[in-house]
Amino acid sequence: MVENAARRGAMVCGYHVNQSTLAPQAYLTGAEWNWEVLYPRFVKMLAAGEAIPNFYRGGLKEGLVKVSPYGPLVSEAARKACRRHQGETHGGTYTIFKGPLSDNKGNPVITAGTERGSTDVELEKMNYLIEGVIGATS
């Protein structure tokens, strides 16, 4: 499916792991879980006699998410802007999800004046594609 999208001229972003090998010419980047940070953190918790939480949140700032390598379609200007925003995210001065945002059917999903950080539990309810994204969730 990903490679078919690439053949149609679509651009591809990954999630959970580096998926660049699935569509090497169309891949932009993605968000990967950074298990090298999370598992040692859990081991330290266990060694200290602490329980591992059932629900553990974290993003770029906490080191639990990392950005996949950029693909060939990502310009140097875009890479620079992404690195700047990553730094702002790490520093706590940038929020990714800011309203007003609508889904790709025109329905408001985040109202004007609302900000949702990457670890906001409300984002777990995301069952839509954002305005401008072609496709459907089901």
Side-chain angles (χ1 to χ4, degrees), residues 4 40-41 48 65-66 70-72 77 89 95 102 107-108 112 122 127 129 132:
N4 288 339
R41 197 171 289 174
V65 175
K66 61 184 177 180
Y70 297 111
T89 299
T95 303
S102 296
N107 302 307
E122 189 67 24
N127 64 350
L129 299 175

Side-chain angles (χ1 to χ4, degrees), residues 96-131:
I96 297 171
F97 300 97
K98 297 178 184 178
L101 289 175
S102 296
D103 66 16
N104 65 352
K105 297 174 184 169
N107 302 307
V109 292
I110 300 178
T111 58
T114 301
E115 294 187 4
R116 302 220 179 273
S118 63
T119 59
D120 189 323
V121 177
E122 189 67 24
L123 295 174
E124 296 291 327
K125 300 176 186 175
M126 189 180 283
N127 64 350
Y128 54 85
L129 299 175
I130 223 60
E131 185 176 13

Side-chain angles (χ1 to χ4, degrees), residues 5-136:
R7 281 191 214 109
R8 294 190 312 268
M11 293 176 264
V12 179
C13 290
Y15 188 55
H16 292 298
V17 297
N18 181 350
Q19 298 173 332
S20 60
T21 58
L22 300 175
Q25 298 308 309
Y27 194 75
L28 299 176
T29 189
E32 302 177 34
W33 293 115
N34 191 1
W35 300 112
E36 295 94 6
V37 169
L38 184 60
Y39 286 147
R41 197 171 289 174
F42 284 171
V43 168
K44 286 180 184 176
M45 292 170 78
L46 285 172
E50 301 172 20
I52 296 174
N54 185 41
F55 189 72
Y56 197 85
R57 306 265 331 147
L60 288 169
K61 182 179 178 182
E62 297 79 15
L64 300 182
V65 175
K66 61 184 177 180
V67 178
S68 297
Y70 297 111
L73 296 176
V74 181
S75 69
E76 187 53 41
R79 292 170 193 234
K80 185 176 179 181
C82 287
R83 285 190 294 269
R84 183 180 74 247
H85 288 308
Q86 286 173 23
E88 293 167 347
T89 299
H90 284 275
T93 61
Y94 184 76
T95 303
I96 297 171
F97 300 97
K98 297 178 184 178
L101 289 175
S102 296
D103 66 16
N104 65 352
K105 297 174 184 169
N107 302 307
V109 292
I110 300 178
T111 58
T114 301
E115 294 187 4
R116 302 220 179 273
S118 63
T119 59
D120 189 323
V121 177
E122 189 67 24
L123 295 174
E124 296 291 327
K125 300 176 186 175
M126 189 180 283
N127 64 350
Y128 54 85
L129 299 175
I130 223 60
E131 185 176 13
V133 175
I134 299 169

